[in-house]
Amino acid sequence: MFRPLCTLPLPGLLSSKLRELGFMYCDDVCFDRNGKPKKVLRQWSDEPCTYWKELLATPATKNAFSHLQDECDLGRIETFCRSLDEYMDGGVPLQRITEFSGAPGSGKTQMCLHLCVDVQIPRAFCGLEGQAVFVDSCSAFTVSRLSEIAEACVNHCSMLARDGLNQNMLQAMKHFSKISILENVFHVLCFTHVDLMASIIYLKKFLSEHRQVRLIVIDSITFALQTIDNALQRVSLLYDLMENLRTIASEFDVAVVVTNNLTTKVETEKESSLIPALGESFGHSVNYRFLLGRTTDSNFVCVSGKNLNKSSVTVPFQITRSGIREVQNN
């Protein structure tokens, strides 16, 4: 067929190699006449013919009502802050990318650690009973803090089970403990953008072997990319990272949470503002964006920067020894 190769979702390196060999259209890639395309495609797939047929296959279609049902059935990770959960229709959604931006000390890492615990709440308590992967590029992962939040979550669930005399809850608590929570959080330490990209690529194999994983945290996506001096290379790598994360979120039914720093946007000679780093294109690649900020020692606010379903709101929350909590009105 005379369909240009540039219209296919090919990796950039593969597309360049095919062009160098003189192949411009899909019809040119014919294994019966020339073995070069087959040799090039073998670098990307063990079965080049199958890989090529999948690229040319008609995209699957789904009607709007089916999409609505899928949206309603999405699993969500609660934050223990009722106002924030209500705004997110029940919590951080699976199969989506959620970004938390903010200055240092705004609660980004605390939110991530809290979600790593909450994703493991047993199904008897309407939780996901999953596992979490914490990709750490700024050495912010703290086991002692994770242990505090885990202990508080276990105590909270134990109290609910005892007060309600629910046999399913009581049975679930036999396998839900602080130790089990710590054992189900997998920590990956990254020092450079190369480490980060390698970790994301390896995640596909890891998730194939660990089907219970329901949360992937990257804290922070900005920090690792600071090691790249070339702006064009940074943008290209960021695009590849987000493309891989979108595929992972959808294919393995996991929630992807990334943290981002703030940068200064100069509007005029006398006016400037703080905005999430990495540019506007990055903002379009996430499904939900929240800006975190501190108001007092333990009080914080979460400002919605992007939510396709609702208008922007400001939600107050607290960070206590037990983790994220609703602000208590005196």
Side-chain angles (χ1 to χ4, degrees), residues 224-248:
L225 296 178
Q226 290 177 347
T227 58
I228 306 176
D229 295 327
N230 188 302
L232 185 60
Q233 183 184 358
R234 189 187 308 118
V235 172
S236 177
L237 178 61
L238 182 60
Y239 176 83
D240 289 341
L241 279 172
M242 298 308 294
E243 194 64 34
N244 275 280
L245 289 175
R246 274 196 294 270
T247 302
I248 288 172

Side-chain angles (χ1 to χ4, degrees), residues 132-270:
V133 176
F134 196 108
V135 181
D136 182 14
S137 69
C138 53
S139 301
F141 184 80
T142 310
V143 178
S144 59
R145 179 60 179 142
L146 182 67
S147 180
E148 282 183 347
I149 301 173
E151 184 175 1
C153 183
V154 171
N155 291 338
H156 177 75
C157 291
S158 296
M159 182 183 65
L160 291 177
R162 290 195 304 269
D163 293 348
L165 297 177
N166 187 303
Q167 292 302 317
N168 290 333
M169 290 183 177
L170 292 171
Q171 185 67 27
M173 289 307 300
K174 294 181 179 180
H175 308 285
F176 187 59
S177 65
K178 181 174 72 173
I179 300 300
S180 71
I181 291 175
L182 296 180
E183 288 177 341
N184 286 312
V185 178
F186 303 99
H187 178 239
V188 182
L189 184 60
C190 299
F191 295 100
T192 66
H193 62 279
V194 177
D195 296 335
L196 179 59
M197 191 63 188
S199 299
I200 300 303
I201 293 175
Y202 175 71
L203 271 179
K204 293 183 179 181
K205 179 181 179 182
F206 182 84
L207 293 176
S208 298
E209 300 170 353
H210 298 78
R211 288 291 182 174
Q212 284 186 282
V213 172
R214 288 293 172 265
L215 172 66
I216 297 172
V217 169
I218 301 179
D219 184 30
S220 108
I221 196 168
T222 323
F223 201 84
L225 296 178
Q226 290 177 347
T227 58
I228 306 176
D229 295 327
N230 188 302
L232 185 60
Q233 183 184 358
R234 189 187 308 118
V235 172
S236 177
L237 178 61
L238 182 60
Y239 176 83
D240 289 341
L241 279 172
M242 298 308 294
E243 194 64 34
N244 275 280
L245 289 175
R246 274 196 294 270
T247 302
I248 288 172
S250 176
E251 183 177 345
F252 295 97
D253 191 29
V254 300
V256 175
V257 172
V258 300
T259 65
N260 192 4
N261 296 341
L262 298 181
T263 188
T264 303
K265 179 182 179 181
V266 179
E267 298 171 354
T268 64
E269 292 183 358
K270 297 182 179 180

